[in-house]
Amino acid sequence: MTRLIFLGPPGAGKGTQAKKLAELFEIPHISTGDILRSNVAQQTLLGQKAREYMDKGELVPDQLILDMVGDRLSVDDAKAGWILDGFPRNVAQASFLDELLASIHQVCQHAVNLDVPDGILVERLVQRGLKEGRADDNEQTIRRRLEVYREQTAPVIDYYRDRHLLVTVDGDRSMSEVTADLKKVIQS
Ligand code: AMP
């Protein structure tokens, strides 16, 4: 059963790769960033609360995120497997996920760390901002998102390493090379 967590800094290519692999393996791609952006666009209460954090490049508070993930993982399509992209984003979320998965009798297969050098991340994010018009892909917010990643999300890598679930994949290569490696991880 394919149940993967995609870790890695903003701009590492998590979203692109997660989407591609989810299509290939016919399982849902669960991106907390996408769910939040859709809530912002639809001006739901969650979206209204989340927006100020997203615009600043800060993490949205855990209490807004955890129910959202719990609800999404309990949808029927997630029984076939899933790829989580952008969650967990801190150690508290990782330990919540452990408890949630235990309660629904699921185990995560691997946590994949997509590794890309900092200089390349900023370049990629600036390009995406120009192309997709994402509000948080401006230089000031990008810088803050990278700081937040280092301070709060990077420790999640150790969390999964300690649990022998971590796989690191070099994300600084062509999209198809990275996809090929990720396929091997899934099929291992
Ligand atoms: P992403 O699309 O994953 O880069 O997420 C965009 C923004 O959504 C982040 O900068 C955060 O503000 C927010 N966000 C996404 N996922 C989470 C999460 N798991 N916990 C807290 N905030 C999140």
Side-chain angles (χ1 to χ4, degrees), residues 88-106:
R89 216 51 166 241
N90 59 30
V91 170
Q93 292 185 5
S95 88
F96 165 86
L97 180 63
D98 272 351
E99 284 173 29
L100 174 69
L101 293 180
S103 75
I104 55 176
H105 311 290
Q106 294 191 2

Side-chain angles (χ1 to χ4, degrees), residues 52-183:
E52 57 171 312
Y53 298 95
M54 296 170 77
D55 284 350
K56 284 189 283 191
E58 303 292 338
L59 293 187
V60 174
D62 289 349
Q63 69 265 29
L64 297 179
I65 300 287
L66 301 183
D67 277 353
M68 190 179 99
V69 172
D71 288 349
R72 183 61 190 87
L73 283 178
S74 65
V75 176
D76 246 18
D77 65 348
K79 287 199 180 109
W82 36 256
I83 298 180
L84 272 178
D85 159 20
F87 180 90
R89 216 51 166 241
N90 59 30
V91 170
Q93 292 185 5
S95 88
F96 165 86
L97 180 63
D98 272 351
E99 284 173 29
L100 174 69
L101 293 180
S103 75
I104 55 176
H105 311 290
Q106 294 191 2
V107 285
C108 155
Q109 186 188 9
H110 294 294
V112 181
N113 178 29
L114 269 186
D115 198 24
V116 175
D118 274 10
I120 289 173
L121 297 174
V122 177
E123 177 60 25
R124 282 191 188 177
L125 290 166
V126 169
Q127 290 305 323
R128 184 175 70 184
L130 296 174
K131 197 167 139 231
E132 295 177 16
R134 245 179 80 162
D136 58 351
D137 281 340
N138 63 74
E139 215 161 326
Q140 192 188 348
T141 310
I142 289 170
R143 221 169 291 131
R144 181 60 192 146
R145 282 158 63 211
L146 289 171
E147 267 173 25
V148 166
Y149 172 78
R150 269 180 229 114
E151 291 163 10
Q152 302 186 50
T153 311
V156 177
I157 295 174
D158 294 328
Y159 182 95
Y160 288 110
R161 186 182 292 115
D162 291 348
R163 284 157 183 76
H164 309 290
L165 288 172
L166 188 73
V167 178
T168 297
V169 169
D170 176 6
D172 186 18
R173 293 171 301 159
S174 74
M175 216 148 80
S176 58
E177 283 173 305
V178 177
T179 308
D181 259 19
L182 291 169
K183 269 162 80 178

Side-chain angles (χ1 to χ4, degrees), residues 24-37:
L24 220 59
F25 289 87
E26 299 183 23
I27 51 175
H29 164 215
I30 302 178
S31 155
T32 45
D34 283 352
I35 300 174
L36 289 167
R37 277 184 290 279

